[in-house]
Each structure stands twice: as C-alpha cells, then as structure tokens.
PDB file of all heavy atoms in Angstrom:
ATOM      1  N   LYS A 759     -28.306 -59.941 -39.158  1.00  0.00           N
ATOM      2  CA  LYS A 759     -29.094 -58.703 -39.042  1.00  0.00           C
ATOM      3  C   LYS A 759     -28.723 -58.020 -37.730  1.00  0.00           C
ATOM      4  O   LYS A 759     -28.399 -58.686 -36.759  1.00  0.00           O
ATOM      5  CB  LYS A 759     -30.585 -59.052 -39.044  1.00  0.00           C
ATOM      6  CG  LYS A 759     -31.535 -57.894 -38.892  1.00  0.00           C
ATOM      7  CD  LYS A 759     -32.971 -58.384 -38.946  1.00  0.00           C
ATOM      8  CE  LYS A 759     -33.968 -57.239 -38.734  1.00  0.00           C
ATOM      9  NZ  LYS A 759     -35.371 -57.707 -38.810  1.00  0.00           N
ATOM     10  N   GLN A 760     -28.796 -56.716 -37.711  1.00  0.00           N
ATOM     11  CA  GLN A 760     -28.450 -55.972 -36.487  1.00  0.00           C
ATOM     12  C   GLN A 760     -29.686 -55.717 -35.637  1.00  0.00           C
ATOM     13  O   GLN A 760     -30.725 -55.307 -36.149  1.00  0.00           O
ATOM     14  CB  GLN A 760     -27.787 -54.638 -36.861  1.00  0.00           C
ATOM     15  CG  GLN A 760     -26.442 -54.793 -37.579  1.00  0.00           C
ATOM     16  CD  GLN A 760     -25.383 -55.433 -36.707  1.00  0.00           C
ATOM     17  OE1 GLN A 760     -25.046 -54.940 -35.629  1.00  0.00           O
ATOM     18  NE2 GLN A 760     -24.830 -56.575 -37.180  1.00  0.00           N
ATOM     19  N   TYR A 761     -29.551 -55.965 -34.352  1.00  0.00           N
ATOM     20  CA  TYR A 761     -30.622 -55.735 -33.389  1.00  0.00           C
ATOM     21  C   TYR A 761     -30.150 -54.757 -32.329  1.00  0.00           C
ATOM     22  O   TYR A 761     -28.974 -54.706 -31.978  1.00  0.00           O
ATOM     23  CB  TYR A 761     -31.034 -57.047 -32.704  1.00  0.00           C
ATOM     24  CG  TYR A 761     -31.677 -58.055 -33.636  1.00  0.00           C
ATOM     25  CD1 TYR A 761     -30.891 -58.985 -34.311  1.00  0.00           C
ATOM     26  CD2 TYR A 761     -33.047 -58.057 -33.844  1.00  0.00           C
ATOM     27  CE1 TYR A 761     -31.474 -59.906 -35.180  1.00  0.00           C
ATOM     28  CE2 TYR A 761     -33.638 -58.982 -34.698  1.00  0.00           C
ATOM     29  CZ  TYR A 761     -32.841 -59.892 -35.358  1.00  0.00           C
ATOM     30  OH  TYR A 761     -33.397 -60.806 -36.219  1.00  0.00           O
ATOM     31  N   GLU A 762     -31.107 -54.004 -31.794  1.00  0.00           N
ATOM     32  CA  GLU A 762     -30.799 -53.125 -30.681  1.00  0.00           C
ATOM     33  C   GLU A 762     -30.757 -53.887 -29.360  1.00  0.00           C
ATOM     34  O   GLU A 762     -30.015 -53.560 -28.437  1.00  0.00           O
ATOM     35  CB  GLU A 762     -31.804 -51.975 -30.577  1.00  0.00           C
ATOM     36  CG  GLU A 762     -31.586 -50.825 -31.565  1.00  0.00           C
ATOM     37  CD  GLU A 762     -32.002 -51.192 -32.972  1.00  0.00           C
ATOM     38  OE1 GLU A 762     -33.013 -51.918 -33.121  1.00  0.00           O
ATOM     39  OE2 GLU A 762     -31.335 -50.758 -33.939  1.00  0.00           O
ATOM     40  N   ILE A 763     -31.620 -54.915 -29.274  1.00  0.00           N
ATOM     41  CA  ILE A 763     -31.715 -55.715 -28.053  1.00  0.00           C
ATOM     42  C   ILE A 763     -31.739 -57.197 -28.432  1.00  0.00           C
ATOM     43  O   ILE A 763     -32.485 -57.607 -29.342  1.00  0.00           O
ATOM     44  CB  ILE A 763     -32.998 -55.371 -27.264  1.00  0.00           C
ATOM     45  CG1 ILE A 763     -32.972 -53.896 -26.803  1.00  0.00           C
ATOM     46  CG2 ILE A 763     -33.151 -56.291 -26.043  1.00  0.00           C
ATOM     47  CD1 ILE A 763     -34.274 -53.418 -26.181  1.00  0.00           C
ATOM     48  N   ILE A 764     -30.929 -57.988 -27.731  1.00  0.00           N
ATOM     49  CA  ILE A 764     -30.902 -59.428 -27.923  1.00  0.00           C
ATOM     50  C   ILE A 764     -31.278 -60.095 -26.603  1.00  0.00           C
ATOM     51  O   ILE A 764     -30.611 -59.865 -25.596  1.00  0.00           O
ATOM     52  CB  ILE A 764     -29.523 -59.937 -28.381  1.00  0.00           C
ATOM     53  CG1 ILE A 764     -29.143 -59.283 -29.707  1.00  0.00           C
ATOM     54  CG2 ILE A 764     -29.512 -61.454 -28.476  1.00  0.00           C
ATOM     55  CD1 ILE A 764     -27.696 -59.543 -30.111  1.00  0.00           C
ATOM     56  N   ILE A 765     -32.339 -60.869 -26.615  1.00  0.00           N
ATOM     57  CA  ILE A 765     -32.758 -61.616 -25.426  1.00  0.00           C
ATOM     58  C   ILE A 765     -32.316 -63.062 -25.588  1.00  0.00           C
ATOM     59  O   ILE A 765     -32.700 -63.725 -26.575  1.00  0.00           O
ATOM     60  CB  ILE A 765     -34.285 -61.554 -25.234  1.00  0.00           C
ATOM     61  CG1 ILE A 765     -34.761 -60.097 -25.080  1.00  0.00           C
ATOM     62  CG2 ILE A 765     -34.700 -62.377 -24.006  1.00  0.00           C
ATOM     63  CD1 ILE A 765     -36.266 -59.934 -25.056  1.00  0.00           C
ATOM     64  N   LEU A 766     -31.515 -63.562 -24.667  1.00  0.00           N
ATOM     65  CA  LEU A 766     -31.035 -64.936 -24.703  1.00  0.00           C
ATOM     66  C   LEU A 766     -31.672 -65.718 -23.567  1.00  0.00           C
ATOM     67  O   LEU A 766     -31.389 -65.476 -22.391  1.00  0.00           O
ATOM     68  CB  LEU A 766     -29.506 -64.967 -24.571  1.00  0.00           C
ATOM     69  CG  LEU A 766     -28.722 -64.244 -25.686  1.00  0.00           C
ATOM     70  CD1 LEU A 766     -27.235 -64.297 -25.388  1.00  0.00           C
ATOM     71  CD2 LEU A 766     -29.002 -64.873 -27.045  1.00  0.00           C
ATOM     72  N   ALA A 767     -32.583 -66.617 -23.932  1.00  0.00           N
ATOM     73  CA  ALA A 767     -33.317 -67.439 -22.957  1.00  0.00           C
ATOM     74  C   ALA A 767     -33.093 -68.906 -23.294  1.00  0.00           C
ATOM     75  O   ALA A 767     -33.949 -69.569 -23.868  1.00  0.00           O
ATOM     76  CB  ALA A 767     -34.799 -67.088 -22.981  1.00  0.00           C
ATOM     77  N   ILE A 768     -31.922 -69.397 -22.933  1.00  0.00           N
ATOM     78  CA  ILE A 768     -31.520 -70.727 -23.391  1.00  0.00           C
ATOM     79  C   ILE A 768     -30.470 -71.312 -22.435  1.00  0.00           C
ATOM     80  O   ILE A 768     -29.824 -70.572 -21.702  1.00  0.00           O
ATOM     81  CB  ILE A 768     -30.945 -70.600 -24.824  1.00  0.00           C
ATOM     82  CG1 ILE A 768     -30.838 -71.962 -25.505  1.00  0.00           C
ATOM     83  CG2 ILE A 768     -29.621 -69.844 -24.850  1.00  0.00           C
ATOM     84  CD1 ILE A 768     -30.607 -71.884 -26.991  1.00  0.00           C
ATOM     85  N   GLY A 769     -30.352 -72.641 -22.459  1.00  0.00           N
ATOM     86  CA  GLY A 769     -29.327 -73.279 -21.639  1.00  0.00           C
ATOM     87  C   GLY A 769     -29.811 -74.506 -20.897  1.00  0.00           C
ATOM     88  O   GLY A 769     -29.014 -75.395 -20.563  1.00  0.00           O
ATOM     89  N   ILE A 770     -31.125 -74.589 -20.642  1.00  0.00           N
ATOM     90  CA  ILE A 770     -31.602 -75.718 -19.828  1.00  0.00           C
ATOM     91  C   ILE A 770     -31.394 -77.053 -20.534  1.00  0.00           C
ATOM     92  O   ILE A 770     -31.149 -78.072 -19.890  1.00  0.00           O
ATOM     93  CB  ILE A 770     -33.102 -75.510 -19.434  1.00  0.00           C
ATOM     94  CG1 ILE A 770     -33.454 -76.326 -18.201  1.00  0.00           C
ATOM     95  CG2 ILE A 770     -34.018 -75.790 -20.593  1.00  0.00           C
ATOM     96  CD1 ILE A 770     -32.861 -75.813 -16.924  1.00  0.00           C
ATOM     97  N   ASN A 771     -31.480 -77.059 -21.860  1.00  0.00           N
ATOM     98  CA  ASN A 771     -31.306 -78.326 -22.585  1.00  0.00           C
ATOM     99  C   ASN A 771     -29.865 -78.841 -22.577  1.00  0.00           C
ATOM    100  O   ASN A 771     -29.623 -80.023 -22.810  1.00  0.00           O
ATOM    101  CB  ASN A 771     -31.774 -78.179 -24.037  1.00  0.00           C
ATOM    102  CG  ASN A 771     -33.293 -78.182 -24.117  1.00  0.00           C
ATOM    103  OD1 ASN A 771     -33.969 -78.937 -23.466  1.00  0.00           O
ATOM    104  ND2 ASN A 771     -33.844 -77.276 -24.936  1.00  0.00           N
ATOM    105  N   ASP A 772     -28.931 -77.980 -22.279  1.00  0.00           N
ATOM    106  CA  ASP A 772     -27.536 -78.417 -22.138  1.00  0.00           C
ATOM    107  C   ASP A 772     -27.356 -79.279 -20.886  1.00  0.00           C
ATOM    108  O   ASP A 772     -26.303 -79.914 -20.743  1.00  0.00           O
ATOM    109  CB  ASP A 772     -26.612 -77.203 -22.081  1.00  0.00           C
ATOM    110  CG  ASP A 772     -26.644 -76.419 -23.387  1.00  0.00           C
ATOM    111  OD1 ASP A 772     -25.836 -76.724 -24.275  1.00  0.00           O
ATOM    112  OD2 ASP A 772     -27.478 -75.501 -23.518  1.00  0.00           O
ATOM    113  N   LEU A 773     -28.359 -79.312 -20.018  1.00  0.00           N
ATOM    114  CA  LEU A 773     -28.310 -80.128 -18.811  1.00  0.00           C
ATOM    115  C   LEU A 773     -28.862 -81.528 -19.049  1.00  0.00           C
ATOM    116  O   LEU A 773     -28.900 -82.346 -18.110  1.00  0.00           O
ATOM    117  CB  LEU A 773     -29.083 -79.466 -17.672  1.00  0.00           C
ATOM    118  CG  LEU A 773     -28.609 -78.062 -17.263  1.00  0.00           C
ATOM    119  CD1 LEU A 773     -29.412 -77.578 -16.062  1.00  0.00           C
ATOM    120  CD2 LEU A 773     -27.129 -78.045 -16.955  1.00  0.00           C
ATOM    121  N   GLN A 774     -29.272 -81.856 -20.268  1.00  0.00           N
ATOM    122  CA  GLN A 774     -29.699 -83.211 -20.563  1.00  0.00           C
ATOM    123  C   GLN A 774     -28.547 -84.171 -20.270  1.00  0.00           C
ATOM    124  O   GLN A 774     -27.377 -83.884 -20.538  1.00  0.00           O
ATOM    125  CB  GLN A 774     -30.124 -83.335 -22.024  1.00  0.00           C
ATOM    126  CG  GLN A 774     -31.386 -82.554 -22.324  1.00  0.00           C
ATOM    127  CD  GLN A 774     -31.781 -82.628 -23.802  1.00  0.00           C
ATOM    128  OE1 GLN A 774     -31.361 -83.533 -24.506  1.00  0.00           O
ATOM    129  NE2 GLN A 774     -32.572 -81.657 -24.247  1.00  0.00           N
ATOM    130  N   TYR A 775     -28.866 -85.330 -19.692  1.00  0.00           N
ATOM    131  CA  TYR A 775     -27.815 -86.198 -19.174  1.00  0.00           C
ATOM    132  C   TYR A 775     -26.886 -86.727 -20.253  1.00  0.00           C
ATOM    133  O   TYR A 775     -25.724 -87.021 -19.997  1.00  0.00           O
ATOM    134  CB  TYR A 775     -28.377 -87.333 -18.324  1.00  0.00           C
ATOM    135  CG  TYR A 775     -29.263 -88.335 -19.049  1.00  0.00           C
ATOM    136  CD1 TYR A 775     -28.722 -89.340 -19.820  1.00  0.00           C
ATOM    137  CD2 TYR A 775     -30.644 -88.287 -18.905  1.00  0.00           C
ATOM    138  CE1 TYR A 775     -29.517 -90.278 -20.461  1.00  0.00           C
ATOM    139  CE2 TYR A 775     -31.448 -89.210 -19.533  1.00  0.00           C
ATOM    140  CZ  TYR A 775     -30.895 -90.194 -20.316  1.00  0.00           C
ATOM    141  OH  TYR A 775     -31.685 -91.118 -20.946  1.00  0.00           O
ATOM    142  N   SER A 776     -27.357 -86.801 -21.489  1.00  0.00           N
ATOM    143  CA  SER A 776     -26.501 -87.329 -22.561  1.00  0.00           C
ATOM    144  C   SER A 776     -25.315 -86.408 -22.867  1.00  0.00           C
ATOM    145  O   SER A 776     -24.275 -86.875 -23.370  1.00  0.00           O
ATOM    146  CB  SER A 776     -27.318 -87.544 -23.827  1.00  0.00           C
ATOM    147  OG  SER A 776     -27.825 -86.317 -24.327  1.00  0.00           O
ATOM    148  N   TYR A 777     -25.443 -85.114 -22.561  1.00  0.00           N
ATOM    149  CA  TYR A 777     -24.332 -84.183 -22.805  1.00  0.00           C
ATOM    150  C   TYR A 777     -23.280 -84.217 -21.698  1.00  0.00           C
ATOM    151  O   TYR A 777     -22.161 -83.747 -21.905  1.00  0.00           O
ATOM    152  CB  TYR A 777     -24.875 -82.746 -22.944  1.00  0.00           C
ATOM    153  CG  TYR A 777     -25.803 -82.569 -24.127  1.00  0.00           C
ATOM    154  CD1 TYR A 777     -27.075 -82.013 -23.957  1.00  0.00           C
ATOM    155  CD2 TYR A 777     -25.418 -82.977 -25.400  1.00  0.00           C
ATOM    156  CE1 TYR A 777     -27.937 -81.860 -25.056  1.00  0.00           C
ATOM    157  CE2 TYR A 777     -26.277 -82.843 -26.487  1.00  0.00           C
ATOM    158  CZ  TYR A 777     -27.528 -82.270 -26.303  1.00  0.00           C
ATOM    159  OH  TYR A 777     -28.379 -82.128 -27.367  1.00  0.00           O
ATOM    160  N   ASN A 778     -23.680 -84.742 -20.523  1.00  0.00           N
ATOM    161  CA  ASN A 778     -22.730 -84.888 -19.414  1.00  0.00           C
ATOM    162  C   ASN A 778     -21.940 -83.606 -19.144  1.00  0.00           C
ATOM    163  O   ASN A 778     -20.719 -83.602 -19.028  1.00  0.00           O
ATOM    164  CB  ASN A 778     -21.781 -86.048 -19.695  1.00  0.00           C
ATOM    165  CG  ASN A 778     -21.023 -86.508 -18.457  1.00  0.00           C
ATOM    166  OD1 ASN A 778     -21.495 -86.352 -17.334  1.00  0.00           O
ATOM    167  ND2 ASN A 778     -19.830 -87.039 -18.655  1.00  0.00           N
ATOM    168  N   CYS A 779     -22.671 -82.512 -19.081  1.00  0.00           N
ATOM    169  CA  CYS A 779     -22.044 -81.178 -18.979  1.00  0.00           C
ATOM    170  C   CYS A 779     -21.844 -80.808 -17.518  1.00  0.00           C
ATOM    171  O   CYS A 779     -22.805 -80.709 -16.748  1.00  0.00           O
ATOM    172  CB  CYS A 779     -22.965 -80.165 -19.681  1.00  0.00           C
ATOM    173  SG  CYS A 779     -22.426 -78.466 -19.534  1.00  0.00           S
ATOM    174  N   ASP A 780     -20.587 -80.570 -17.120  1.00  0.00           N
ATOM    175  CA  ASP A 780     -20.345 -80.088 -15.768  1.00  0.00           C
ATOM    176  C   ASP A 780     -20.547 -78.580 -15.718  1.00  0.00           C
ATOM    177  O   ASP A 780     -20.689 -77.915 -16.744  1.00  0.00           O
ATOM    178  CB  ASP A 780     -18.958 -80.490 -15.263  1.00  0.00           C
ATOM    179  CG  ASP A 780     -17.821 -79.941 -16.130  1.00  0.00           C
ATOM    180  OD1 ASP A 780     -17.914 -78.791 -16.604  1.00  0.00           O
ATOM    181  OD2 ASP A 780     -16.832 -80.674 -16.333  1.00  0.00           O
ATOM    182  N   LEU A 781     -20.565 -78.007 -14.533  1.00  0.00           N
ATOM    183  CA  LEU A 781     -20.905 -76.605 -14.373  1.00  0.00           C
ATOM    184  C   LEU A 781     -19.860 -75.667 -14.968  1.00  0.00           C
ATOM    185  O   LEU A 781     -20.172 -74.585 -15.457  1.00  0.00           O
ATOM    186  CB  LEU A 781     -21.153 -76.273 -12.887  1.00  0.00           C
ATOM    187  CG  LEU A 781     -22.377 -76.968 -12.274  1.00  0.00           C
ATOM    188  CD1 LEU A 781     -22.486 -76.602 -10.804  1.00  0.00           C
ATOM    189  CD2 LEU A 781     -23.663 -76.599 -13.010  1.00  0.00           C
ATOM    190  N   LYS A 782     -18.603 -76.083 -14.949  1.00  0.00           N
ATOM    191  CA  LYS A 782     -17.546 -75.275 -15.547  1.00  0.00           C
ATOM    192  C   LYS A 782     -17.751 -75.196 -17.072  1.00  0.00           C
ATOM    193  O   LYS A 782     -17.637 -74.115 -17.660  1.00  0.00           O
ATOM    194  CB  LYS A 782     -16.177 -75.848 -15.241  1.00  0.00           C
ATOM    195  CG  LYS A 782     -15.028 -75.018 -15.794  1.00  0.00           C
ATOM    196  CD  LYS A 782     -13.682 -75.593 -15.412  1.00  0.00           C
ATOM    197  CE  LYS A 782     -12.529 -74.759 -15.990  1.00  0.00           C
ATOM    198  NZ  LYS A 782     -11.194 -75.326 -15.608  1.00  0.00           N
ATOM    199  N   THR A 783     -18.044 -76.331 -17.670  1.00  0.00           N
ATOM    200  CA  THR A 783     -18.296 -76.367 -19.108  1.00  0.00           C
ATOM    201  C   THR A 783     -19.540 -75.540 -19.437  1.00  0.00           C
ATOM    202  O   THR A 783     -19.575 -74.819 -20.452  1.00  0.00           O
ATOM    203  CB  THR A 783     -18.493 -77.812 -19.584  1.00  0.00           C
ATOM    204  OG1 THR A 783     -17.317 -78.562 -19.286  1.00  0.00           O
ATOM    205  CG2 THR A 783     -18.756 -77.872 -21.089  1.00  0.00           C
ATOM    206  N   PHE A 784     -20.539 -75.618 -18.571  1.00  0.00           N
ATOM    207  CA  PHE A 784     -21.756 -74.850 -18.752  1.00  0.00           C
ATOM    208  C   PHE A 784     -21.454 -73.349 -18.768  1.00  0.00           C
ATOM    209  O   PHE A 784     -21.909 -72.611 -19.667  1.00  0.00           O
ATOM    210  CB  PHE A 784     -22.773 -75.155 -17.654  1.00  0.00           C
ATOM    211  CG  PHE A 784     -24.105 -74.517 -17.853  1.00  0.00           C
ATOM    212  CD1 PHE A 784     -25.111 -75.176 -18.561  1.00  0.00           C
ATOM    213  CD2 PHE A 784     -24.392 -73.255 -17.345  1.00  0.00           C
ATOM    214  CE1 PHE A 784     -26.339 -74.598 -18.762  1.00  0.00           C
ATOM    215  CE2 PHE A 784     -25.622 -72.663 -17.540  1.00  0.00           C
ATOM    216  CZ  PHE A 784     -26.604 -73.341 -18.244  1.00  0.00           C
ATOM    217  N   GLU A 785     -20.660 -72.900 -17.807  1.00  0.00           N
ATOM    218  CA  GLU A 785     -20.303 -71.482 -17.736  1.00  0.00           C
ATOM    219  C   GLU A 785     -19.542 -71.054 -18.977  1.00  0.00           C
ATOM    220  O   GLU A 785     -19.786 -69.984 -19.554  1.00  0.00           O
ATOM    221  CB  GLU A 785     -19.489 -71.199 -16.483  1.00  0.00           C
ATOM    222  CG  GLU A 785     -19.122 -69.737 -16.301  1.00  0.00           C
ATOM    223  CD  GLU A 785     -18.632 -69.429 -14.905  1.00  0.00           C
ATOM    224  OE1 GLU A 785     -18.564 -70.337 -14.071  1.00  0.00           O
ATOM    225  OE2 GLU A 785     -18.334 -68.247 -14.652  1.00  0.00           O
ATOM    226  N   GLN A 786     -18.613 -71.867 -19.430  1.00  0.00           N
ATOM    227  CA  GLN A 786     -17.832 -71.554 -20.623  1.00  0.00           C
ATOM    228  C   GLN A 786     -18.739 -71.476 -21.851  1.00  0.00           C
ATOM    229  O   GLN A 786     -18.568 -70.591 -22.697  1.00  0.00           O
ATOM    230  CB  GLN A 786     -16.766 -72.616 -20.821  1.00  0.00           C
ATOM    231  CG  GLN A 786     -15.646 -72.570 -19.785  1.00  0.00           C
ATOM    232  CD  GLN A 786     -14.713 -73.780 -19.864  1.00  0.00           C
ATOM    233  OE1 GLN A 786     -15.039 -74.818 -20.442  1.00  0.00           O
ATOM    234  NE2 GLN A 786     -13.519 -73.637 -19.299  1.00  0.00           N
ATOM    235  N   GLY A 787     -19.708 -72.386 -21.934  1.00  0.00           N
ATOM    236  CA  GLY A 787     -20.595 -72.414 -23.078  1.00  0.00           C
ATOM    237  C   GLY A 787     -21.517 -71.197 -23.161  1.00  0.00           C
ATOM    238  O   GLY A 787     -21.708 -70.630 -24.241  1.00  0.00           O
ATOM    239  N   ILE A 788     -22.084 -70.791 -22.019  1.00  0.00           N
ATOM    240  CA  ILE A 788     -22.955 -69.616 -22.014  1.00  0.00           C
ATOM    241  C   ILE A 788     -22.124 -68.349 -22.290  1.00  0.00           C
ATOM    242  O   ILE A 788     -22.571 -67.448 -22.993  1.00  0.00           O
ATOM    243  CB  ILE A 788     -23.705 -69.489 -20.660  1.00  0.00           C
ATOM    244  CG1 ILE A 788     -24.593 -70.703 -20.441  1.00  0.00           C
ATOM    245  CG2 ILE A 788     -24.531 -68.202 -20.638  1.00  0.00           C
ATOM    246  CD1 ILE A 788     -25.701 -70.901 -21.434  1.00  0.00           C
ATOM    247  N   THR A 789     -20.905 -68.312 -21.769  1.00  0.00           N
ATOM    248  CA  THR A 789     -20.019 -67.181 -22.051  1.00  0.00           C
ATOM    249  C   THR A 789     -19.706 -67.096 -23.537  1.00  0.00           C
ATOM    250  O   THR A 789     -19.682 -66.005 -24.128  1.00  0.00           O
ATOM    251  CB  THR A 789     -18.711 -67.302 -21.233  1.00  0.00           C
ATOM    252  OG1 THR A 789     -19.038 -67.336 -19.841  1.00  0.00           O
ATOM    253  CG2 THR A 789     -17.785 -66.128 -21.517  1.00  0.00           C
ATOM    254  N   GLU A 790     -19.455 -68.240 -24.150  1.00  0.00           N
ATOM    255  CA  GLU A 790     -19.178 -68.283 -25.587  1.00  0.00           C
ATOM    256  C   GLU A 790     -20.373 -67.758 -26.399  1.00  0.00           C
ATOM    257  O   GLU A 790     -20.223 -67.052 -27.387  1.00  0.00           O
ATOM    258  CB  GLU A 790     -18.863 -69.718 -26.024  1.00  0.00           C
ATOM    259  CG  GLU A 790     -18.447 -69.851 -27.471  1.00  0.00           C
ATOM    260  CD  GLU A 790     -18.133 -71.280 -27.845  1.00  0.00           C
ATOM    261  OE1 GLU A 790     -18.098 -72.149 -26.969  1.00  0.00           O
ATOM    262  OE2 GLU A 790     -17.913 -71.536 -29.049  1.00  0.00           O
ATOM    263  N   LEU A 791     -21.579 -68.099 -25.955  1.00  0.00           N
ATOM    264  CA  LEU A 791     -22.791 -67.627 -26.615  1.00  0.00           C
ATOM    265  C   LEU A 791     -22.873 -66.101 -26.530  1.00  0.00           C
ATOM    266  O   LEU A 791     -23.184 -65.422 -27.521  1.00  0.00           O
ATOM    267  CB  LEU A 791     -24.017 -68.262 -25.956  1.00  0.00           C
ATOM    268  CG  LEU A 791     -25.364 -68.026 -26.631  1.00  0.00           C
ATOM    269  CD1 LEU A 791     -25.493 -68.888 -27.896  1.00  0.00           C
ATOM    270  CD2 LEU A 791     -26.511 -68.362 -25.666  1.00  0.00           C
ATOM    271  N   ILE A 792     -22.620 -65.554 -25.352  1.00  0.00           N
ATOM    272  CA  ILE A 792     -22.626 -64.095 -25.170  1.00  0.00           C
ATOM    273  C   ILE A 792     -21.569 -63.443 -26.062  1.00  0.00           C
ATOM    274  O   ILE A 792     -21.847 -62.424 -26.725  1.00  0.00           O
ATOM    275  CB  ILE A 792     -22.327 -63.748 -23.678  1.00  0.00           C
ATOM    276  CG1 ILE A 792     -23.495 -64.202 -22.783  1.00  0.00           C
ATOM    277  CG2 ILE A 792     -22.080 -62.252 -23.534  1.00  0.00           C
ATOM    278  CD1 ILE A 792     -24.727 -63.368 -22.880  1.00  0.00           C
ATOM    279  N   ASN A 793     -20.398 -64.019 -26.096  1.00  0.00           N
ATOM    280  CA  ASN A 793     -19.322 -63.448 -26.910  1.00  0.00           C
ATOM    281  C   ASN A 793     -19.689 -63.426 -28.400  1.00  0.00           C
ATOM    282  O   ASN A 793     -19.366 -62.475 -29.117  1.00  0.00           O
ATOM    283  CB  ASN A 793     -18.023 -64.217 -26.691  1.00  0.00           C
ATOM    284  CG  ASN A 793     -17.403 -63.946 -25.335  1.00  0.00           C
ATOM    285  OD1 ASN A 793     -17.685 -62.925 -24.705  1.00  0.00           O
ATOM    286  ND2 ASN A 793     -16.576 -64.870 -24.863  1.00  0.00           N
ATOM    287  N   ALA A 794     -20.371 -64.484 -28.849  1.00  0.00           N
ATOM    288  CA  ALA A 794     -20.801 -64.531 -30.240  1.00  0.00           C
ATOM    289  C   ALA A 794     -21.796 -63.403 -30.540  1.00  0.00           C
ATOM    290  O   ALA A 794     -21.708 -62.732 -31.574  1.00  0.00           O
ATOM    291  CB  ALA A 794     -21.432 -65.886 -30.561  1.00  0.00           C
ATOM    292  N   ALA A 795     -22.719 -63.214 -29.604  1.00  0.00           N
ATOM    293  CA  ALA A 795     -23.714 -62.140 -29.798  1.00  0.00           C
ATOM    294  C   ALA A 795     -23.047 -60.755 -29.812  1.00  0.00           C
ATOM    295  O   ALA A 795     -23.363 -59.914 -30.658  1.00  0.00           O
ATOM    296  CB  ALA A 795     -24.745 -62.209 -28.678  1.00  0.00           C
ATOM    297  N   LYS A 796     -22.107 -60.548 -28.896  1.00  0.00           N
ATOM    298  CA  LYS A 796     -21.428 -59.255 -28.819  1.00  0.00           C
ATOM    299  C   LYS A 796     -20.536 -59.006 -30.033  1.00  0.00           C
ATOM    300  O   LYS A 796     -20.410 -57.874 -30.503  1.00  0.00           O
ATOM    301  CB  LYS A 796     -20.598 -59.195 -27.534  1.00  0.00           C
ATOM    302  CG  LYS A 796     -21.434 -59.133 -26.270  1.00  0.00           C
ATOM    303  CD  LYS A 796     -20.592 -59.324 -25.024  1.00  0.00           C
ATOM    304  CE  LYS A 796     -19.719 -58.136 -24.753  1.00  0.00           C
ATOM    305  NZ  LYS A 796     -18.980 -58.281 -23.490  1.00  0.00           N
ATOM    306  N   THR A 797     -19.941 -60.048 -30.548  1.00  0.00           N
ATOM    307  CA  THR A 797     -19.053 -59.901 -31.722  1.00  0.00           C
ATOM    308  C   THR A 797     -19.861 -59.524 -32.960  1.00  0.00           C
ATOM    309  O   THR A 797     -19.449 -58.628 -33.734  1.00  0.00           O
ATOM    310  CB  THR A 797     -18.290 -61.203 -31.986  1.00  0.00           C
ATOM    311  OG1 THR A 797     -17.473 -61.499 -30.850  1.00  0.00           O
ATOM    312  CG2 THR A 797     -17.420 -61.086 -33.220  1.00  0.00           C
ATOM    313  N   LEU A 798     -21.019 -60.163 -33.155  1.00  0.00           N
ATOM    314  CA  LEU A 798     -21.789 -59.948 -34.358  1.00  0.00           C
ATOM    315  C   LEU A 798     -22.739 -58.751 -34.266  1.00  0.00           C
ATOM    316  O   LEU A 798     -23.119 -58.196 -35.300  1.00  0.00           O
ATOM    317  CB  LEU A 798     -22.577 -61.231 -34.707  1.00  0.00           C
ATOM    318  CG  LEU A 798     -21.702 -62.426 -35.083  1.00  0.00           C
ATOM    319  CD1 LEU A 798     -22.533 -63.691 -35.116  1.00  0.00           C
ATOM    320  CD2 LEU A 798     -21.022 -62.179 -36.418  1.00  0.00           C
ATOM    321  N   ASN A 799     -23.141 -58.423 -33.067  1.00  0.00           N
ATOM    322  CA  ASN A 799     -24.013 -57.249 -32.830  1.00  0.00           C
ATOM    323  C   ASN A 799     -23.399 -56.420 -31.706  1.00  0.00           C
ATOM    324  O   ASN A 799     -23.916 -56.377 -30.597  1.00  0.00           O
ATOM    325  CB  ASN A 799     -25.428 -57.685 -32.451  1.00  0.00           C
ATOM    326  CG  ASN A 799     -26.377 -57.747 -33.640  1.00  0.00           C
ATOM    327  OD1 ASN A 799     -27.545 -57.369 -33.555  1.00  0.00           O
ATOM    328  ND2 ASN A 799     -25.891 -58.239 -34.749  1.00  0.00           N
ATOM    329  N   PRO A 800     -22.264 -55.759 -31.955  1.00  0.00           N
ATOM    330  CA  PRO A 800     -21.521 -55.108 -30.865  1.00  0.00           C
ATOM    331  C   PRO A 800     -22.259 -53.981 -30.158  1.00  0.00           C
ATOM    332  O   PRO A 800     -21.907 -53.669 -29.002  1.00  0.00           O
ATOM    333  CB  PRO A 800     -20.281 -54.579 -31.574  1.00  0.00           C
ATOM    334  CG  PRO A 800     -20.628 -54.500 -33.013  1.00  0.00           C
ATOM    335  CD  PRO A 800     -21.597 -55.628 -33.258  1.00  0.00           C
ATOM    336  N   ASN A 801     -23.247 -53.408 -30.793  1.00  0.00           N
ATOM    337  CA  ASN A 801     -23.957 -52.297 -30.172  1.00  0.00           C
ATOM    338  C   ASN A 801     -25.250 -52.708 -29.474  1.00  0.00           C
ATOM    339  O   ASN A 801     -25.951 -51.873 -28.916  1.00  0.00           O
ATOM    340  CB  ASN A 801     -24.260 -51.221 -31.214  1.00  0.00           C
ATOM    341  CG  ASN A 801     -22.992 -50.618 -31.810  1.00  0.00           C
ATOM    342  OD1 ASN A 801     -22.048 -50.326 -31.090  1.00  0.00           O
ATOM    343  ND2 ASN A 801     -22.973 -50.465 -33.124  1.00  0.00           N
TER     344      ASN A 801
END
C-alpha cells in the first residue's frame, strides 16, 4: 500500500546479544530498511 509518511521506530532488538551485531552491521541493516521503504514507496 502507498503511504505519504512512513515512521520507522525500530532497531533496538537487533542489539540482543544472540544476534552479535556489531555497529557496522547495524548501520548496514538500518540503511537496508530505509532502502526497502524508499523502493516500495518512493514518494
């Protein structure tokens, strides 16, 4: 569905110790999330 505004309030759970996520991986992951949103709802 197309939205005019997308609010992304997520990421803290990726810091759970079982994921062993370093900060570089974290940055790449959040960037990937943004790119997915922009690709599917470009406006």
